[in-house]
Amino acid sequence: MKDLPDPRKDLSGPRPVPAAINWNRLQDDKDLEIWNRLTANFWLPEKVPLSNDIQSWSQLSEEERTLTIRVFTGLTLLDTIQNSVGAPALMPDAITPHEEAVLSNIAFMEAVHARSYSSVFSTLCRTAEVDEAFRWSAENEHLQAKSRLILDEYDTAASPLRRKIASVFLESFLFYSGFYLPMHWSSRARLTNTADLIRLIIRDEAIHGYYIGYKFQRGLERLSGPERQEMKDFAFSLAFDLYDIEARYTEQLYDRLGLTEDVKAFLHYNANKALRNLGFEALFPDEACKVNPAIMAALSPGSDENHDFFSGSGSSYVIGRTVATEDDDWDF
Amino acid sequence: MGGLVYFSSGSGNTARFIERLGRPALRIPARADAPPPLAERPYILVCPTYADGAGRGAVPRPVIRFLNLAANRARLAGVIAAGNRSFGETFALAGDVIAAKCNVPVLYRFELAGTDTDIARIRDGLTTFWDTRCLIPA
Ligand SMILES: Cc1cc2nc3c(=O)[nH]c(=O)nc-3n(C[C@H](O)[C@H](O)[C@H](O)COP(=O)(O)O)c2cc1C
Ligand SMILES: [Fe+2]
Ligand SMILES: [Fe+2]
């Protein structure tokens, strides 16, 4: 069996009237589950008091500020692509009408993400330096190269599954060379409100990568053994190609601050997670993924306060964080 | 040694983790109409986290239904929580919720399908855990 046909290629007649969507008849329960989580997690940048970072911003060096603005324009570009091309390109491939609705939510949130970086800029930066950074990203060969590789997959009308692979890499891997920097600042108590905003974006991207990866797995199941192998080979080779670009982008950005090796460990770790979202095994060995614990702590603050038993770091049983346990479903 | 019980949804991360761990384990079915299984001996629960941004709903419903049975609760010895650090403060929160509800320890937390390091640590940890427990009279 071939990869499913692309409905966009059927231009022979007038567009058929779609069936009205009925959320009470689901073909895939995951669609409603993800819809509910995404809508419950909805946010806007106004929610985050970015102006509390003004003083912290002024304490960064000129070079650190330029780097930060550039990194954020790079992230803006990825969100722009995912908003205007990526998520819309996945919609005609949707197997269920509910999947299309979820993708429309994803598309909109990408616009919110892209918009948030501009909120950071207007709060902290001068117009001229922001304009310069947008010019920089438009001309940056590595940013352009990774966008090109992704867009080429979005455009190949023949393969819904390849589009999903490219999309998961964008959502779960390509952002992280940029996300590293606000996590780094946050671990040094710098730009902590900006970091809060970035963490909202990271959480959204995690659900996006998860959901597109989940749909990829459902599609992959329909292929024959050799076709599955071919798709997997494609995923790993795209991961390699993107990694090459990311490694060079990372050196260009972070060499001056001496952070390149630290960022690369973070890239390896996230590339592996992107492959996991697709249902595949890791590419980089654990030794290459030793992310700086301060970055891990900035990513999931508060979650490491209680050491767990098997890690050997605490001999006593500690009952975890205080959590809400009065969910209706519990009977006790 | 005691047993393992786990839940894994359609994304299959926890199921892939259990497969790599290579220990027999009882799976809690995802379907809402499936009756929860009964654990017949002491066990450790492996559970992924599905919280919203405020931390609500961290424990998947089928796991709650499973733990609503007093007999299953009585045999629960500890919890291993799965998740993804990209979810920030709610990373592996299901473990803390279950620990607080059932008064058992969180033994370990891992991301997605776990790394090779996670698998090795959990294998060792399980052995030590059950060995130590056998010395404590029930
Ligand atoms: C909607 C949604 C919410 C999630 N919430 C959390 C969370 O709050 N904390 C966490 O650590 N992981 C969270 N995760 C990640 C899952 O726990 C992780 O992907 C896990 O490997 C899923 O296991 P499974 O594939 O066996 O079902 C969430 C995933 C989704 C899709
Ligand atoms: Fe985004
Ligand atoms: Fe996204």
Side-chain angles (χ1 to χ4, degrees):
Chain A
M1 198 194 115
K2 266 266 101 29
D3 217 352
L4 289 157
D6 188 322
R8 284 171 301 190
K9 286 197 336 196
D10 182 20
L11 301 171
S12 46
R15 178 192 288 274
V17 176
I21 187 166
N22 180 354
W23 278 97
N24 299 313
R25 290 255 171 241
L26 297 168
Q27 290 92 311
D28 184 346
D29 290 343
K30 216 28 128 185
D31 294 335
L32 179 60
E33 183 191 331
I34 298 298
W35 171 272
N36 286 341
R37 282 297 187 255
L38 287 174
T39 51
N41 288 356
F42 176 77
W43 59 277
L44 288 170
E46 290 73 20
K47 168 178 164 174
V48 183
L50 291 169
S51 58
N52 291 347
D53 281 347
I54 291 174
Q55 200 193 349
S56 177
W57 179 254
S58 69
Q59 287 161 355
L60 295 180
S61 71
E62 175 88 39
E63 189 180 7
E64 291 168 338
R65 286 199 296 255
T66 304
L67 176 66
T68 306
I69 304 175
R70 286 182 176 177
V71 160
F72 285 179
T73 60
L75 291 169
T76 305
L77 173 61
L78 294 178
D79 275 311
T80 306
I81 290 175
Q82 206 61 348
N83 164 248
S84 61
V85 188
L90 297 176
M91 287 167 82
D93 302 337
I95 306 291
T96 68
H98 315 95
E99 182 182 344
E100 270 190 273
V102 171
L103 288 165
S104 67
N105 176 301
I106 291 179
F108 178 68
M109 278 322 282
E110 304 301 7
V112 172
H113 300 165
R115 201 263 167 272
S116 319
Y117 293 108
S118 288
S119 297
V120 173
F121 295 149
S122 59
T123 310
L124 303 178
C125 320
R126 280 178 289 110
T127 314
E129 57 190 5
V130 174
D131 288 344
E132 188 282 325
F134 273 106
R135 262 194 306 279
W136 174 88
S137 67
E139 285 161 14
N140 183 274
E141 53 178 318
H142 309 307
L143 270 176
Q144 296 302 312
K146 66 174 153 178
S147 305
R148 185 75 268 147
L149 277 186
I150 296 293
L151 286 168
D152 286 348
E153 292 311 318
Y154 287 164
D155 289 340
T156 54
S159 184
L161 290 185
R162 280 174 59 152
R163 265 196 285 281
K164 289 191 181 65
I165 291 171
S167 217
V168 169
F169 285 151
L170 190 153
E171 299 277 6
S172 304
F173 173 43
L174 296 182
F175 278 116
Y176 284 88
S177 50
F179 286 155
Y180 177 91
L181 191 61
M183 293 301 107
H184 170 78
W185 294 141
S186 156
S187 76
R188 303 185 164 206
R190 299 279 176 86
L191 303 184
T192 53
N193 297 282
T194 303
D196 285 341
L197 179 140
I198 300 294
R199 273 188 286 269
L200 291 172
I201 298 179
I202 291 176
R203 183 181 72 196
D204 291 345
E205 306 305 6
I207 300 184
H208 299 172
Y210 171 97
Y211 180 71
I212 299 165
Y214 165 82
K215 290 292 179 179
F216 171 81
Q217 292 184 54
R218 299 287 78 78
L220 197 69
E221 285 168 351
R222 297 157 168 250
L223 300 188
S224 69
E227 286 168 330
R228 272 208 290 274
Q229 186 57 46
E230 203 180 302
M231 201 53 78
K232 184 174 173 180
D233 292 344
F234 168 74
F236 278 81
S237 86
L238 183 60
F240 274 119
D241 292 346
L242 289 170
Y243 177 74
D244 268 353
I245 300 170
E246 284 299 85
R248 274 176 276 140
Y249 184 59
T250 296
E251 289 157 13
Q252 185 183 52
L253 291 173
Y254 294 103
D255 268 357
R256 306 267 300 268
L257 292 183
L259 292 172
T260 297
E261 288 317 304
D262 221 38
V263 181
K264 282 187 180 170
F266 195 52
L267 297 187
H268 303 152
Y269 159 78
N270 285 294
N272 282 352
K273 286 171 75 176
L275 287 162
R276 287 280 182 223
N277 275 337
L278 293 166
F280 296 137
E281 63 270 25
L283 172 62
F284 294 98
D286 287 2
E287 308 82 70
C289 303
K290 293 215 168 82
V291 179
N292 185 338
I295 297 297
M296 289 299 221
L299 200 57
S300 50
S303 67
D304 292 299
E305 273 155 25
N306 305 295
H307 288 293
D308 42 64
F309 192 60
F310 290 175
S311 304
S313 37
S315 56
S316 58
Y317 292 151
V318 196
I319 295 298
R321 291 162 273 172
T322 39
V323 284
T325 50
E326 58 278 359
D327 199 309
D328 293 344
D329 300 312
W330 297 100
D331 280 351
F332 60 97
Chain B
M1 200 191 281
L4 280 174
V5 173
Y6 72 103
F7 173 78
S8 184
S9 81
S11 40
N13 282 318
T14 316
R16 279 187 289 272
F17 162 83
I18 292 286
E19 202 180 297
R20 282 161 64 228
L21 196 63
R23 301 273 170 93
L26 176 69
R27 183 170 186 161
I28 301 173
R31 292 214 344 255
D33 53 354
L38 265 183
E40 275 155 16
R41 53 187 183 130
Y43 66 94
I44 285 163
L45 178 63
V46 185
C47 181
T49 305
Y50 279 94
D52 69 12
R56 289 171 301 224
V59 182
R61 283 228 175 79
V63 176
I64 294 181
R65 281 197 299 271
F66 172 85
L67 290 173
N68 278 341
L69 300 179
N72 284 339
R73 262 189 337 264
R75 298 196 170 102
L76 175 66
V79 59
I80 295 176
N84 179 347
R85 283 184 185 274
S86 297
F87 286 86
E89 290 176 357
T90 65
F91 169 56
L93 192 65
D96 301 74
V97 175
I98 293 168
K101 288 294 283 190
C102 303
N103 206 17
V104 294
V106 177
L107 299 176
Y108 198 76
R109 289 173 297 170
F110 65 90
E111 292 189 90
L112 306 179
T115 63
D116 291 344
T117 309
D118 293 327
I119 300 269
R121 283 204 188 131
I122 290 171
R123 279 196 189 126
D124 288 355
L126 287 175
T127 309
T128 318
F129 179 79
W130 290 116
D131 282 359
T132 325
R133 252 179 91 92
C134 288
L135 303 174
I136 306 165

